[in-house]
């Protein structure tokens, strides 16, 4: 059986010589490969026609983590901590997210990805959690492999079926979070302080979003099951 082609969205950054590059952290690539997919990167510098052509050839899309989305897309509150806003990336991901929803193409949205998912479908974000959300939890940690807080997954959800358990231990590397949730999304996971950590789109073949970084926690079988379910759904 041919392995499914999984498109992964990318960041733009200058390399050490000041030259622009597109990239993605190896953990995303490895997680897709480990789950049985073939990763292919989606640069955000493509013209629309070529972007659509590339999109048409992938069986699933992984919306990866990264910098903040421009507040202009959700009438967000400006904040000095907003960082790494990238217009070409915003446009690419917001456009592709809507397409995956319309087309029923499987996708997994991680960290910035779940925020793109919410904004693309009409939701809003906290633009800096410590100043806008009442919590004693530190959601913006430095270590990708350190467990930061638990997440409770609703029993009545597809993610609960996928994980096979409802209490997860996750990392947390986000200073923004979901505020008003898009009406089409179902919230299925929370941190103990009430922060939204997981959403899914009912009536879609596979549309899952998580606020933590499962690609850094693949030593946990439960996180590997998430990537496996995504790649398997893309195979169909
Ligand atoms: Mn968190």
């Amino acid at each position: 059986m041919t392995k499914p082609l999984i498109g992964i969205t990318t960041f733009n950054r200058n390399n050490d010589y000041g030259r622009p590059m597109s990239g993605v952290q190896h953990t995303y690539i490895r997680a897709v490969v480990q789950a049985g997919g073939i990763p292919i990167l989606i640069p955000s510098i493509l013209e629309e026609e070529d972007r659509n052509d590339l999109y048409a050839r992938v069986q699933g899309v992984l919306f990866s983590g990264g910098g903040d989305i421009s507040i202009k897309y959700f009438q967000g509150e400006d904040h000095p901590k907003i960082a790494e806003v990238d217009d070409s990336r915003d446009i690419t991901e917001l456009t592709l997210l809507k397409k995956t929803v319309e087309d029923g193409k499987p996708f997994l949205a991680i960290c910035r990805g779940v925020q793109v998912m919410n904004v693309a479908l009409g939701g809003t974000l906290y633009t800096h959690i410590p100043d806008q959300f009442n919590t004693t939890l530190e959601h913006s940690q430095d270590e990708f492999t350190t467990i930061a807080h638990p997440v409770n997954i609703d029993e009545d959800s597809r993610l609960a079926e996928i994980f096979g358990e409802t209490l997860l231990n996750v990392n947390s590397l986000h200073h923004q979070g979901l505020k008003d949730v898009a009406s089409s999304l179902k919230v299925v996971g929370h941190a103990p302080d009430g922060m939204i950590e997981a959403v899914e789109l009912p009536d879609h073949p596979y549309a899952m979003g998580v606020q933590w970084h499962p690609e850094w926690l693949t030593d946990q079988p439960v996180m590997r099951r998430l990537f496996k379910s995504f790649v398997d759904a893309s195979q169909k």
Side-chain angles (χ1 to χ4, degrees), residues 6-69:
I6 306 295
I8 308 179
T9 63
T10 55
F11 61 75
N12 296 299
R13 196 162 296 168
N14 288 344
N15 70 7
D16 291 346
Y17 306 99
R19 300 190 188 104
M21 53 179 278
S22 300
V24 66
Q25 290 186 35
H26 286 182
T27 44
Y28 294 104
I29 294 170
R30 292 208 178 98
V32 166
V33 170
Q34 186 177 47
I38 298 293
I40 185 162
L41 306 196
I42 303 177
S44 63
I45 58 170
L46 299 179
E47 296 296 335
E48 188 180 358
E49 190 182 342
D50 290 335
R51 180 175 68 216
N52 289 343
D53 199 335
L54 174 50
Y55 167 78
R57 297 182 202 198
V58 301
Q59 280 84 60
V61 179
L62 197 167
F63 292 88
S64 60
D68 298 331
I69 302 166

Side-chain angles (χ1 to χ4, degrees), residues 129 137-140 148-151 170-174 176 191 193 195-197 211-212:
I129 290 168
L137 269 183
E138 180 51 80
H139 285 275
S140 182
H149 60 71
V151 166
V170 309
N171 50 11
S172 195
L173 295 111
H174 58 110
Q176 300 198 336
D193 61 3
M195 179 60 63
I196 294 167
E197 293 275 344
Q211 184 60 74
W212 71 92

